[in-house]
């Protein structure tokens, strides 16, 4: 997953950029890719220009660069190296060295114990989670025009870092991520030191690559779009399969991942929220993991599904008693081949914990 290709010819750089975009599209769930495709392309063009400038200068030590996406990318080559030596959320960060990148220390791979999975009790658990979600409807206000959905989380991830012709695993240390999104999805702001150049964050109020205002959809799940979705589980799942056709490694995995995206960083209306779990119960291959840990160390029970192609298991983590959604993580459970073989079983490719989710009256306002 090369993200730094120094001293390539212009043609090679253009080809590498397209390969990277294609690879990123495959690695990222639809909800984490389509909305910010234009930002990825802008970064690719910026990197190409920087490399053209660097090629005209004297030979210098290899540098690492990172493509900045407003949402964390699972196994995206977010390039850097730095010192990290701590244990968080059941995820082990071993000692390593290097430089700081984007304000977030980076180090070797995050690892964890792979929890046992079973298909036993899946419908019952998702039924309980759905009931708990329905019970919170009174504390789940609607988002009015001019208001913003505010989500604060803690995240960390592991990625393939390539410097020259050498690839290795690195990680972004656990850090705070804050995002604001308008009800119609046309305005937003992100503060995430793993992807921002400035500590003040960056705007998400951008047109798409054609200069058009983004339209709400499963790839861009605005509150207004979600409010119009059917609340019938069968019809909802059919819509998800239809809109995500051709994405991901399999239709079932992409459907599961899409619902997971809605749980993690969107604001489903009160009447839709419990239906998401009823729809998830109808996806083949869903399992229960009795013990999973979110990014801040909270233990819970996970609803999960294994992507047979990548060997990664996506886990949605819930409180064992209240069944409140805590966060999510992706764990490598099967050995991959090629460059992906660097991701050994037990590697945590992404982990998050939702700390706050609220409706606020202004951009950058907090509850």
């Amino acid at each position: 997953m090369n993200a730094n290709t120094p001293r390539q010819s212009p043609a090679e750089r253009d080809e590498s950029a397209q390969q990277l975009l294609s690879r990123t599209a495959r690695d990222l769930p639809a909800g984490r890719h389509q909305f910010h495709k234009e930002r990825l392309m802008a970064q690719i063009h910026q990197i190409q220009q920087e490399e053209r400038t660097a090629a005209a200068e004297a030979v210098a030590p290899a540098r690492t660069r990172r493509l900045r996406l407003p949402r964390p990318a699972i196994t995206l080559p977010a390039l850097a190296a730095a010192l990290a030596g701590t244990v968080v959320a059941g995820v082990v960060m071993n000692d390593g060295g290097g430089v700081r990148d984007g304000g977030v220390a980076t180090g070797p791979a995050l690892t964890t114990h792979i929890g046992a999975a079973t298909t036993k009790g899946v419908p019952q658990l998702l039924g309980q989670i759905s009931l708990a979600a329905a019970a919170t409807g009174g504390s789940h206000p609607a988002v009015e025009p001019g208001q913003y959905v505010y989500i604060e989380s803690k995240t960390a991830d592991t990625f393939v870092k390539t410097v020259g012709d050498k690839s290795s695993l690195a990680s972004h240390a656990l850090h705070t991520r804050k995002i604001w999104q308008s009800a119609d999805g046309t305005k937003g702001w992100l503060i995430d030191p793993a992807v921002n150049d400035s500590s003040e964050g960056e705007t998400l109020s951008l047109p798409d690559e054609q200069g058009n205002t983004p339209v709400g959809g499963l790839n861009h799940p605005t509150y207004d779009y979600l409010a119009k979705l059917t609340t019938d589980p069968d019809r909802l799942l059919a819509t998800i399969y239809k809109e995500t056709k051709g994405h991901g490694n399999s239709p079932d995995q992409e459907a599961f991942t899409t619902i997971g995206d809605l749980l993690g960083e969107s604001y489903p209306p009160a009447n839709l929220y419990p239906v998401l779990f009823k729809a998830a119960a109808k996806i083949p291959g869903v399992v229960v993991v009795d013990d999973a840990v979110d990014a801040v160390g909270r233990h819970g029970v996970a609803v999960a599904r294994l992507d047979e192609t990548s060997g990664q298991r996506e886990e949605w983590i819930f409180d064992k008693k209240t069944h409140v959604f805590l966060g999510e993580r992706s764990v490598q459970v099967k050995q991959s081949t090629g460059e992906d073989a660097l991701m050994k079983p037990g590697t945590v490719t992404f982990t998050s914990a939702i700390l706050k989710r609220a409706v606020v009256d202004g951009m950058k306002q907090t509850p």
Side-chain angles (χ1 to χ4, degrees):
M1 212 177 288
N2 294 344
N4 186 27
T5 53
R7 298 176 184 82
Q8 291 178 305
S9 69
E12 289 173 329
R13 282 193 294 269
D14 291 340
E15 181 180 358
S16 296
Q18 292 303 320
Q19 290 175 346
L20 176 57
L21 177 60
S22 176
R23 179 61 176 273
T24 304
R26 184 172 72 253
D27 285 343
L28 293 178
R32 293 178 187 168
H33 174 257
Q34 293 292 342
F35 177 42
H36 299 299
K37 178 180 177 182
E38 69 278 3
R39 300 182 64 76
L40 176 59
M41 289 303 300
Q43 291 300 316
I44 288 173
H45 293 319
Q46 178 182 339
I47 289 172
Q48 290 174 334
Q49 182 59 46
E50 290 176 355
E51 289 178 344
R52 291 186 183 101
T53 301
E57 299 174 350
V59 176
R63 295 182 298 164
T64 60
R65 292 191 184 89
R66 179 167 42 81
L67 297 183
R68 298 184 298 109
L69 285 176
R71 300 187 72 181
I74 298 177
T75 68
L76 181 69
L79 304 181
L83 187 65
T86 184
V87 177
V88 288
V91 175
V92 181
M93 298 183 183
N94 298 315
D95 289 338
V99 297
R100 292 185 65 83
D101 179 75
V104 180
T106 59
L110 315 181
T111 60
T112 190
H113 171 73
I114 299 175
T118 177
T119 57
K120 184 178 180 180
V122 171
Q124 292 84 353
L125 176 61
L126 281 167
Q128 292 170 343
I129 293 172
S130 179
L131 289 174
T136 62
S139 59
H140 197 88
V143 185
E144 303 296 337
Q147 292 186 312
Y148 293 83
V149 173
Y150 170 74
I151 300 174
E152 181 178 331
S153 60
K154 289 281 190 179
T155 69
D157 67 302
T158 300
F159 52 88
V160 176
K161 177 187 68 176
T162 300
V163 180
D165 59 355
K166 182 176 177 58
S167 296
S168 60
L169 292 187
S171 64
H172 284 115
L174 187 71
H175 60 279
T176 300
R177 173 180 170 87
K178 301 178 180 180
I179 188 169
W180 290 260
Q181 294 176 315
S182 62
D184 63 4
T186 61
K187 297 179 181 179
W189 193 266
L190 173 74
I191 299 177
D192 185 338
V195 297
N196 298 148
D197 288 333
S198 168
S199 60
E200 297 298 319
E202 63 184 280
T203 181
L204 299 181
S205 305
L206 298 173
D208 63 18
E209 59 267 34
Q210 284 82 38
N212 301 316
T213 300
V215 177
L218 289 176
N219 293 330
H220 178 27
T222 68
Y223 178 83
D224 289 350
Y225 167 79
L226 296 177
K228 297 176 182 178
L229 284 178
T230 176
T231 54
D232 177 270
D234 293 302
R235 291 173 58 195
L236 176 62
L237 189 59
T239 298
I240 292 173
Y241 275 107
K242 180 179 179 179
E243 288 202 21
T244 61
K245 185 177 180 180
H247 293 283
N249 290 327
S250 73
D252 293 333
Q253 186 63 36
E254 189 64 16
F256 186 83
T257 297
T258 297
I259 294 176
D261 279 348
L262 299 182
L263 301 179
E265 204 160 84
S266 76
Y267 189 80
N271 62 340
L272 177 67
Y273 192 48
V275 180
L276 294 174
F277 304 110
K278 294 179 181 179
K282 300 176 181 293
I283 299 175
V286 176
V287 298
V288 172
V289 179
D290 286 336
D291 185 49
V293 189
D294 73 2
V296 295
R298 297 177 297 192
H299 285 257
V301 59
V303 175
R305 193 179 192 283
L306 174 65
D307 185 334
E308 295 288 351
T309 301
S310 69
Q312 291 183 21
R313 187 171 71 194
E314 182 176 346
E315 301 176 349
W316 309 337
I317 305 170
F318 300 86
D319 184 276
K320 291 185 177 181
K321 294 182 178 180
T322 65
H323 297 113
V324 170
F325 178 72
L326 301 178
E328 60 182 319
R329 70 178 181 178
S330 293
V331 180
Q332 191 76 36
V333 299
K334 289 187 176 182
Q335 183 64 53
S336 295
T337 58
E339 188 174 89
D340 290 338
L342 290 170
M343 295 285 185
K344 303 294 184 183
T347 301
V348 178
T349 59
F350 175 73
T351 180
S352 73
I354 301 298
L355 303 182
K356 296 178 182 178
R357 193 191 309 261
V359 177
V360 296
D361 293 327
M363 186 91 80
K364 302 184 188 179
Q365 181 182 17
T366 56

